[in-house]
């Protein structure tokens, strides 16, 4: 049924339709509306049987989800930014134990300085933790991916993060097609756990593993991720057959068949990029878009096949690894290795900075002429950066460095440099 609703409420409804039995909640912007919505449904009796557990921290939220999942309950939680970092130990434990928890990450920047707006630094910090990571472009896709995530998680016995851009999606009102309970029940069967902790038959899970077997344990985690490369598109196909929508899968392409230039990105920025590409196509430029839905496991073969005819690749990413550069683009380079086509890294939208069609248009015109640096920071204010760097040089020569640099960083954050 078509309805207009906030992205967070659409996700809350999708989770509720998936019949979770335990929801562990700790509020942190911008995911709070999701667990608030689920809490209201549990309290009203709309979602039952389900236990809604308020906890004292994000670490506790995932720790409780680990316990409930290990005890055989379909379990869900949500977080963002520093909350994801706070639960880092539990993030690794959940995947190491093979527990099919589903967690929404409402992507938000990581401080200091504090920033509550969107980028992908939080999810990227956990990219190697053993969780599947699915990125939504729209609120419809976020809704659909959560329903698929429970099925993927439970078939593989692996946890899944569904990543949606904070505020841009979580707080945006859009029209979504909300499925019925009957449709979801037909697609998502009741949870049948592979392992269940039973007080009457006690066992230990996650116990000590020595050097003689730890490599094998980690390899098996990798092998399960590789299985997901086949399962994710299979479940997306089943979802399309049931619901009539093409949501999920590994990647999505737009006008790539004859493209000389392919732009790769994740999340909501894909809409802006597609609109820009439409304008460039009207001017005669052969440019297309590849959206990555499954970032982990990383779809190397799918990306390699989809970009085989391109002369160049431009990766626009809302994150970067300080000290080296691109994160997503580094993975893309591994997919197209041994090819002559350059892969340009464009860091954009950090801390919620707007990514405009005008900026993307100018950027792509530069790329067509191969005039982009391999690492570009979109709309970076070089006047501010150069002034701070120059002051740092002076302070290094003349006095205490740390205090001066911190003061300058604080001044930049306040916007008064």
């Amino acid at each position: 049924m078509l309805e207009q609703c906030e992205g967070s409420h659409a996700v809350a409804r999708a989770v509720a339709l998936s019949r979770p039995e335990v929801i562990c909640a700790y509020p942190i912007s911008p995911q709070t509306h999701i667990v608030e919505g689920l809490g209201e449904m549990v309290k009203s009796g709309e979602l039952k049987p389900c236990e809604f557990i308020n906890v004292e921290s994000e670490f506790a939220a995932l720790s409780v989800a680990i316990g409930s999942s290990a005890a055989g309950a379909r379990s869900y939680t949500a977080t963002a930014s520093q909350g994801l970092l706070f639960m880092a130990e539990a993030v690794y434990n959940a995947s190491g134990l093979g527990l099919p928890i589903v967690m929404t990450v409402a992507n938000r920047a990581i401080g200091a300085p504090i920033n509550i707006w969107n980028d992908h630094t939080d999810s990227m910090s956990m990219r190697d933790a053993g969780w599947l990571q699915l990125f939504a472009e729209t609120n419809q896709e976020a809704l659909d991916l959560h329903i698929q995530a429970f099925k993927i998680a439970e078939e593989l016995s692996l946890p899944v993060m569904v990543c949606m851009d904070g505020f841009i999606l979580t707080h945006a009102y859009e029209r979504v097609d909300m499925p019925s309970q009957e449709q979801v029940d037909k697609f998502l069967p009741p949870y049948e756990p592979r392992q269940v902790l039973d007080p009457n038959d006690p066992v230990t899970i996650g116990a000590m593993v020595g050097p003689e077997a730890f490599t094998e344990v980690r390899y098996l985690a990798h092998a399960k991720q590789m299985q997901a490369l086949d399962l994710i598109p299979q479940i997306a196909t089943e979802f399309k057959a049931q619901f009539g929508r093409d949501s999920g899968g590994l990647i999505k392409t737009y006008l790539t068949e004859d493209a000389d230039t392919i732009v790769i990105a994740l999340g909501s920025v894909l809409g802006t990029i597609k609109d820009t590409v439409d304008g460039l196509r009207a001017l005669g430029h052969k440019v297309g878009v590849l959206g990555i839905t499954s970032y982990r496991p990383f779809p190397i073969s799918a990306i390699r096949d989809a970009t085989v005819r391109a002369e160049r690749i431009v990766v626009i990413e809302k994150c970067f690894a300080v000290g080296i550069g691109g994160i997503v683009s580094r993975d893309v380079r591994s997919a197209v290795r041994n090819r002559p086509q350059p892969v340009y890294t464009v860091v954009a939208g950090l801390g919620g900075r707007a990514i405009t069609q005008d900026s993307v248009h100018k950027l792509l015109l530069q790329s067509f002429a191969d005039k982009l640096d391999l690492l570009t920071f979109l709309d970076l204010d070089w006047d501010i950066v150069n002034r701070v760097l120059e002051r740092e040089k002076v302070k290094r020569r003349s006095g205490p460095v740390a205090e001066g640099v911190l003061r300058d960083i604080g001044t930049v954050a306040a916007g008064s440099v």
Side-chain angles (χ1 to χ4, degrees):
M1 182 174 67
L2 295 176
E3 57 183 86
Q4 193 86 359
C5 67
E6 188 191 61
S8 294
H9 294 153
V11 167
R13 293 273 298 282
V15 171
L17 289 168
S18 301
R19 298 190 184 276
E21 296 163 288
V22 175
I23 296 168
C24 316
Y26 189 83
I28 179 171
S29 293
Q31 67 84 8
T32 305
H33 290 179
I34 300 172
V35 292
E36 283 180 345
L38 286 164
E40 290 168 1
M41 283 185 267
V42 172
K43 184 177 181 180
S44 69
E46 180 183 349
L47 174 54
K48 62 180 181 181
C50 181
E51 186 171 359
F52 188 91
I53 303 174
N54 287 304
V55 293
E56 72 276 10
S57 71
E58 290 90 354
F59 179 80
L62 189 51
S63 296
V64 170
I66 287 172
S68 61
S69 183
R74 181 174 283 166
S75 303
Y76 170 84
T77 189
T79 193
S81 188
Q82 273 90 342
L84 182 59
L85 298 188
F86 192 19
M87 61 170 65
E89 180 184 352
V91 171
Y92 277 81
N93 286 341
S95 59
L97 293 170
L99 298 173
I101 299 163
V102 172
M103 176 167 65
T104 308
V105 178
N107 292 119
R108 168 187 152 184
I110 292 172
I114 293 297
N115 180 293
I116 66 168
W117 292 277
N118 167 249
D119 63 34
H120 293 161
T121 309
D122 49 5
S123 289
M124 292 297 164
S125 74
M126 295 294 146
R127 63 189 180 276
D128 300 324
W131 287 57
L132 278 63
Q133 291 189 346
L134 306 177
F135 279 77
E137 178 184 345
T138 64
N139 283 338
Q140 183 68 67
E141 199 163 272
L143 185 164
D144 296 343
L145 284 175
H146 279 83
I147 297 169
Q148 293 177 61
F150 280 101
K151 189 165 188 175
I152 294 166
E154 290 166 14
E155 289 203 20
L156 286 172
S157 202
L158 274 181
V160 179
M161 290 182 198
V162 180
C163 307
M164 60 187 300
D165 287 344
F167 295 109
I168 298 171
L169 294 184
T170 58
H171 287 57
Y173 279 76
E174 292 182 350
R175 189 179 73 166
V176 297
D177 189 350
M178 188 67 63
S180 67
Q181 187 65 69
E182 292 73 21
Q183 285 178 303
V184 176
D185 286 346
K186 184 177 178 181
F187 175 79
L188 179 64
Y191 177 37
E192 295 183 6
R194 296 189 188 181
Q195 54 184 2
V196 179
L197 290 179
D198 182 354
N200 297 318
D201 184 19
V203 296
T204 297
I205 62 173
M208 179 72 71
V209 173
E212 71 284 352
F214 194 77
T215 299
E216 287 73 17
V217 169
R218 299 308 294 166
Y219 176 80
L220 289 169
H222 173 71
K224 289 177 77 173
Q225 289 255 338
M226 294 303 98
Q227 292 172 21
L229 288 172
D230 294 324
L231 183 64
I232 290 169
Q234 175 188 319
I235 287 181
T237 300
E238 293 174 13
F239 187 90
K240 183 177 181 180
Q242 175 74 23
F243 298 91
R245 293 190 297 276
D246 188 12
S247 292
L250 300 174
I251 63 170
K252 286 191 172 58
T253 57
Y254 182 74
L255 302 176
T256 57
E257 291 79 7
D258 64 341
D260 298 327
T261 302
I262 292 181
V263 187
I264 296 179
L266 299 83
S268 62
V269 72
L270 285 164
T272 300
I273 296 170
K274 289 175 183 176
D275 288 344
T276 307
V277 163
D278 287 341
L280 288 166
R281 280 270 173 176
L283 296 174
H285 297 288
K286 292 182 178 180
V287 55
V289 186
L290 188 156
I292 298 175
T293 302
S294 170
Y295 183 64
R296 285 292 184 269
F298 192 73
I300 287 177
S301 295
I303 290 173
R304 186 171 180 83
D305 292 344
T307 58
V308 67
R309 289 181 293 276
E311 295 177 8
R312 66 191 63 82
I313 297 170
V314 179
V315 181
I316 298 179
E317 49 185 308
K318 292 186 173 184
C319 57
F320 81 106
V322 176
I324 188 167
I327 296 175
V328 179
S329 55
R330 185 170 55 189
D331 290 339
V332 170
R333 286 190 184 99
S334 74
V336 300
R337 62 190 179 278
N338 301 325
R339 285 185 186 166
Q341 59 197 168
V343 178
Y344 297 105
T345 301
V346 180
V347 176
L350 298 184
R353 176 170 290 183
I355 301 174
T356 65
Q357 287 189 45
D358 184 56
S359 292
V360 175
H361 181 96
K362 292 175 183 176
L363 170 87
L364 292 178
L365 288 179
Q366 286 182 288
S367 77
F368 301 154
D370 290 317
K371 292 183 178 179
L372 272 184
D373 292 332
L374 286 177
L375 174 60
T376 299
F377 289 80
L378 188 66
D379 294 335
L380 184 68
D381 191 328
W382 283 104
D383 287 341
I384 289 178
V385 170
N386 288 332
R387 271 183 279 172
V388 172
L389 292 175
E390 186 59 37
R391 289 180 193 176
E392 186 180 340
K393 289 179 184 177
V394 172
K395 289 183 174 71
R396 246 195 325 263
R397 292 194 298 267
S398 62
V401 176
E403 180 183 348
V405 172
L406 286 173
R407 188 184 305 116
D408 283 338
I409 291 172
T411 305
V412 170
S416 58
V417 170

